[in-house]
Amino acid sequence: MSGSDNKVLFERIALIGAGLIGSSLAHVVRRDGLAGHIAVSARTQATLDKIQELGLADSVHLDASEAAQDADLVVLCTPVGVYGDIAKAIAPSLKPGAIVTDVGSCKQSVIDDVRPHLPEGVHLVPGHPVAGTEHSGPEAGFAELFEGRWAILTPETDTDEDAIEAVADLWRRAGSFIEIMEARHHDQVLAITSHLPQLVAYTIVDTATGLEDHLKGEVVKFSAGGFRDFTRLAASDPVMWRDICLANKDAILDILGRFTEDLTALQRAIRRGEAKTLEESFARTRAIRRGVIDAKQD
Ligand code: NAP
């Protein structure tokens, strides 16, 4: 699926942010020789030192605009809340024909925050690899992260086809399948498949944290009953999720509203002892699990 056809796709790639996703992409680009030069920027020198130690960069820069200088492809790999500031900072360094893409978990906000800063002749191709773990930072990355996963691209309708194809090619080389969709549609879909589960996990773990001491003590001990699966999700980076909630506010509030209604209906069925309603609801959801396994996304 990957690593078979080594060909330089971009003379210079700049990765802005080098945590789980940025460093995983750097692993892919390095492994397959997809760039003549990999420039990496991060907020702290410690991250840049680690990236160098791992051999994932040809140059490292605390200043994102230095990394973006003369880059053919710039990939924003930071939390989405700082995209606007970064776009503003790198704009003067971007050469005509450069492509700016990203890996953020919501997409309309990328168009809203980044597009206004980009000079004429620079192509914006927002992207989202639907792959991840609960780990963060430069050491968390690995090249296989994106294999067999979807990379969703959400270009605006007037975007240069070659630029879209170049970004799609990068993700194909990472082993991903490509889907192209409208940014708002992406945000609605991800609100249900990713953002709601994450918020439910945070809430369940928070509920357990707020229990009386005599119950709290037993939660970890008996966590294999289901709780531990939620703790894995709830261990994800708080800044990243703060930014996703704020950037995808409308779609998340819509889906939380529906979820709350369904939860209330479930609560009522339990209170009234409506066995048939409960069983029917749980049988419907079982079928979804089979669909996930069949689609090899489990
Ligand atoms: P991460 O491991 O926490 O790494 C974030 C990186 O961004 C770090 O290198 C950090 O630098 C850098 N950064 C943070 N603020 C910055 C700023 N103001 N200026 C420059 N660099 C800054 O995060 P991640 O999990 O890779 O997530 C990155 C992006 O991928 C997010 O937009 C997220 O929505 C998206 N995403 C995440 C997942 C996932 O499962 N984690 C999956 C798909 C998409 P320092 O290390 O120096 O602080």
Side-chain angles (χ1 to χ4, degrees), residues 1 17 70-71 75 80 102 104 109-110 124 136 146 229 259 267 280 294:
M1 189 177 281
D70 288 328
V75 192
V80 291
D102 78 299
S109 70
V110 179
L124 176 63
S136 306
F146 310 112
D229 296 332
F259 176 73
Q267 202 176 353
E280 279 172 4
D294 290 348

Side-chain angles (χ1 to χ4, degrees), residues 16-23 41-48 62 64 76-83 85-86 102-106 128-138 140 145 236-237 240-241 244:
I16 315 298
L20 170 70
I21 304 292
S23 71
S41 178
R43 189 175 39 171
T44 63
Q45 189 60 46
T47 292
L48 295 179
L62 278 173
L76 306 181
C77 306
T78 67
V80 291
V82 292
Y83 276 13
D85 289 343
I86 292 174
D102 78 299
V103 299
S105 306
C106 33
H128 176 201
V130 187
T133 75
E134 69 277 26
H135 302 296
S136 306
L145 177 64
S236 294
D237 187 62
M240 173 179 125
W241 281 102
I244 292 170

Side-chain angles (χ1 to χ4, degrees), residues 11-18 22-31 35-42 45-62 67 138:
E11 270 315 314
R12 180 179 171 104
I13 289 185
L15 299 172
I16 315 298
S23 71
S24 293
L25 199 51
H27 276 288
V28 172
V29 173
R30 189 55 107 203
R31 178 194 66 192
H37 184 105
I38 308 174
V40 172
S41 178
Q45 189 60 46
T47 292
L48 295 179
D49 290 346
K50 182 50 73 180
I51 286 292
Q52 270 191 318
E53 195 184 311
L54 293 167
L56 294 176
D58 298 298
S59 64
V60 293
H61 313 263
L62 278 173

Side-chain angles (χ1 to χ4, degrees), residues 33-256:
L34 304 182
H37 184 105
I38 308 174
V40 172
S41 178
R43 189 175 39 171
T44 63
Q45 189 60 46
T47 292
L48 295 179
D49 290 346
K50 182 50 73 180
I51 286 292
Q52 270 191 318
E53 195 184 311
L54 293 167
L56 294 176
D58 298 298
S59 64
V60 293
H61 313 263
L62 278 173
D63 182 348
S65 67
E66 264 181 28
Q69 188 81 49
D70 288 328
D72 303 281
L73 179 75
V74 178
V75 192
L76 306 181
C77 306
T78 67
V80 291
V82 292
Y83 276 13
D85 289 343
I86 292 174
K88 190 175 176 191
I90 65 174
S93 316
L94 295 171
K95 68 178 182 186
I99 301 169
V100 175
T101 186
D102 78 299
V103 299
S105 306
C106 33
K107 300 273 49 96
Q108 185 59 45
S109 70
V110 179
I111 295 173
D112 295 344
D113 295 351
V114 174
R115 149 77 58 233
H117 298 291
L118 298 186
E120 189 84 1
V122 170
H123 310 292
L124 176 63
V125 184
H128 176 201
V130 187
T133 75
E134 69 277 26
H135 302 296
S136 306
E139 287 168 289
F142 55 102
E144 297 76 21
L145 177 64
F146 310 112
E147 278 181 17
R149 303 290 175 217
W150 288 97
I152 303 176
L153 306 183
T154 65
E156 294 164 286
T157 45
D158 57 352
T159 308
D160 181 79
E161 287 295 330
D162 290 344
I164 299 171
E165 191 45 38
V167 176
D169 220 12
L170 175 67
W171 288 112
R172 275 189 212 107
R173 301 296 294 274
S176 300
F177 309 117
I178 307 299
E179 182 88 17
I180 297 191
M181 64 174 75
E182 204 257 323
R184 282 199 197 281
H185 182 64
H186 166 280
D187 290 354
Q188 285 170 342
V189 172
L190 270 290
I192 175 70
T193 58
S194 169
H195 308 168
L196 178 66
Q198 185 66 37
L199 294 177
V200 169
Y202 275 134
T203 311
I204 289 173
V205 176
D206 227 15
T207 302
T209 315
L211 290 172
E212 301 84 349
D213 286 345
H214 72 284
L215 285 173
K216 210 184 326 189
E218 309 285 53
V219 168
V220 172
K221 183 171 169 189
F222 298 112
S223 58
F227 184 69
R228 68 166 177 208
D229 296 332
F230 292 97
T231 60
R232 187 185 62 75
L233 273 181
S236 294
D237 187 62
V239 172
M240 173 179 125
W241 281 102
R242 177 202 67 192
D243 284 3
I244 292 170
C245 287
L246 299 177
N248 198 22
K249 180 178 168 182
D250 292 345
I252 289 178
L253 286 180
D254 177 56
I255 207 69
L256 276 179

